[in-house]
Amino acid sequence: MGTVDFKQWTSESVAADLERAIHEHRLPPATKLGEDELGDAYGISRTTVRAALHALSHRRLVELKRNRGAFVAQPSVREAREVFEARSLLEPRTARSAAERMTDADLASLRANIEDEHAALDAREDGRALFLSGQFHVEIARIADQTTIEAFVSELISRSSLIIALYWRRRAALCETQAHHALLDAFDQRDGDAAEQLMKSHLLDLVASLDLRNVAQPATSLREALQK
């Protein structure tokens, strides 16, 4: 069987392709990412494979285990709950601060993000929709103008995006577009109280859409998983 396709792969494009495969559940948690098998699948050197895997490990999508190799990250149920508990502590207050500092340009940016998310969902591009959903939350933290909290939120979003991709039990685990529209309305009114309460409810709904009991089984073949 040939390589994944015939494009000229780089470490960056391989990392992006693997990330998409993870988000689309073609590479479930705990899947071993063998360097030789990936090299064969993409038609690239082990050096390029290693660079891609290291990039994904920095984003906490891949775990590099000493003397064992690379595996798709598998956040535990405890880790998943801790991530969302941290988000529930930070993001409602951040939403309030964002509402109080919101400008028309900020609103336009958030509105464009929602439109892109809609387009991705309509195209059944769940991985891209998930990424855009997370970016909506990161953008809110940026607007709140709290640099330290923004950094924490960005890291938590990175982790929770993986958790959502691994543990969702319905497509609604993608941030509900209705919830984002409701937040946008609160921001438009510069209503900090409403924004704070809506964010609390939104995060609770998000956790409720996850199945934190079962973990998907690793793919039996990397080449099969990466074939589109």
Side-chain angles (χ1 to χ4, degrees):
M1 185 180 295
T3 55
V4 175
D5 64 23
F6 299 103
K7 70 185 287 185
Q8 187 66 39
W9 292 98
T10 65
S11 61
E12 291 81 7
S13 61
V14 169
D17 196 62
L18 288 172
E19 179 174 353
R20 187 178 184 89
I22 291 169
H23 282 304
E24 292 179 353
H25 303 173
R26 288 182 283 121
L27 291 175
T31 299
K32 182 172 176 57
L33 302 172
E35 291 181 3
D36 289 336
E37 196 171 355
L38 285 173
D40 289 342
Y42 288 102
I44 56 177
S45 69
R46 292 183 65 179
T47 300
T48 303
V49 170
R50 284 195 200 101
L53 294 175
H54 276 283
L56 290 173
S57 73
H58 287 309
R59 301 183 64 176
R60 300 195 179 188
L61 293 175
V62 165
E63 295 178 4
L64 302 177
K65 300 183 179 181
R66 188 176 183 85
N67 299 324
R68 292 184 58 198
F71 298 80
V72 176
Q74 184 176 308
S76 67
V77 169
R78 177 175 178 175
E79 289 171 328
R81 295 194 183 282
E82 286 178 352
V83 164
F84 280 99
E85 281 183 21
R87 288 185 64 179
S88 71
L89 290 173
L90 290 174
E91 290 196 67
R93 292 292 298 177
T94 301
R96 172 186 286 274
S97 296
E100 295 168 351
R101 293 168 171 78
M102 192 67 55
T103 67
D104 289 342
D106 292 330
L107 275 172
S109 177
L110 290 173
R111 191 171 287 112
N113 183 286
I114 289 177
E115 290 172 356
D116 288 344
E117 186 181 348
H118 269 296
L121 286 170
D122 290 343
R124 306 294 295 186
E125 295 179 352
D126 290 353
R128 176 167 168 74
L130 180 61
F131 170 76
L132 289 167
S133 178
Q135 289 303 111
F136 183 85
H137 289 255
V138 174
E139 184 70 1
I140 290 171
R142 181 196 66 76
I143 294 167
D145 195 26
Q146 298 170 336
T147 306
T148 301
I149 292 178
E150 179 186 350
F152 283 135
V153 169
S154 182
E155 176 68 21
L156 290 169
I157 293 296
S158 176
R159 289 297 286 155
S160 59
S161 291
L162 176 61
I163 291 164
I164 292 167
L166 300 180
Y167 290 105
W168 63 11
R169 64 186 179 200
R170 64 178 191 266
R171 287 186 88 229
L174 294 165
C175 281
E176 302 274 9
T177 53
Q178 297 92 332
H180 283 185
H181 280 297
L183 278 164
L184 194 64
D185 288 341
F187 291 142
D188 192 21
Q189 299 297 318
R190 274 60 171 183
D191 189 336
D193 286 339
E196 183 172 0
Q197 292 304 315
L198 284 166
M199 184 63 83
K200 284 181 181 178
S201 297
H202 178 33
L203 292 172
L204 285 172
D205 289 343
L206 191 53
V207 171
S209 73
L210 304 178
D211 184 350
L212 296 177
R213 298 167 299 173
N214 301 314
V215 175
Q217 294 301 309
T220 56
S221 167
L222 278 181
R223 188 185 297 278
E224 181 181 346
L226 294 170
Q227 291 289 339
K228 294 182 175 62

